[in-house]
Amino acid sequence: GQLFSLARIIRKTQNTSDKIVVVVGTVTCDNRLIKVPKLKVCALRCTEGARSAILKNGGSVLTFEELAVQAPLGQNTVLLQVEELPEKPTKHFGAAGLPNTHAKPFVRAKNRNHEMARGRRKSRGYKA
């Protein structure tokens, strides 16, 4: 599932006061935070640290069942989602050719001659 740090939730909901923050995922604690505002959070799961931080500052943590009772039509809720990274550039992140990395190399052609010999195949010396 998706992970949402408390810091991200606070950052995304600075100007939405008194709304229930709905997260389809797990809310995790962020120990870089100094103060946590009063939050109403509804999530699939919530780590112990995040739950205690929210409750200690006068907030509340709801399940989706409790949310359905409180706001059956989703009134006063704000739904958060994780920003997905674009797929194509992120395939190239990391070092191509190192052991246990699956970074896609930038190559002119995808054939046997281009970055397909030593280190890529067992029959050509070694396989990384």
Side-chain angles (χ1 to χ4, degrees):
Q2 303 289 353
L3 293 177
F4 288 81
S5 70
L6 259 180
R8 180 192 298 256
I9 289 174
I10 291 164
R11 195 169 63 240
K12 296 282 182 198
T13 58
Q14 276 171 345
N15 51 6
T16 57
S17 57
D18 302 335
K19 287 200 172 186
I20 302 170
V21 180
V22 182
V23 166
V24 185
T26 306
V27 178
T28 58
C29 187
D30 198 329
N31 48 20
R32 297 171 298 182
L33 288 173
I34 294 135
K35 62 175 195 286
V36 178
K38 186 177 176 183
L39 285 172
K40 260 189 168 179
V41 179
C42 168
L44 288 176
R45 288 177 61 232
C46 194
T47 61
E48 302 248 329
R51 188 180 299 273
S52 67
I54 292 167
L55 297 176
K56 193 165 63 179
N57 290 294
S60 61
V61 180
L62 307 171
T63 63
F64 276 88
E65 287 80 13
E66 292 164 336
L67 177 73
V69 173
Q70 274 192 27
L73 301 174
Q75 307 95 321
N76 286 331
T77 61
V78 56
L79 182 63
L80 290 189
Q81 62 183 5
V82 170
E83 297 101 23
E84 290 290 326
L85 290 169
E87 193 178 338
K88 191 152 184 173
T90 48
K91 279 187 176 176
H92 296 284
F93 286 2
L98 285 183
N100 304 323
T101 61
H102 297 286
K104 186 177 183 176
F106 291 100
V107 287
R108 279 184 302 150
K110 196 177 175 188
N111 61 31
R112 182 179 45 76
N113 305 325
H114 296 90
E115 296 192 26
M116 283 291 180
R118 281 175 54 78
R120 286 286 180 183
R121 292 181 293 166
K122 256 287 176 41
S123 62
R124 297 290 174 264
Y126 70 99
K127 169 95 172 76

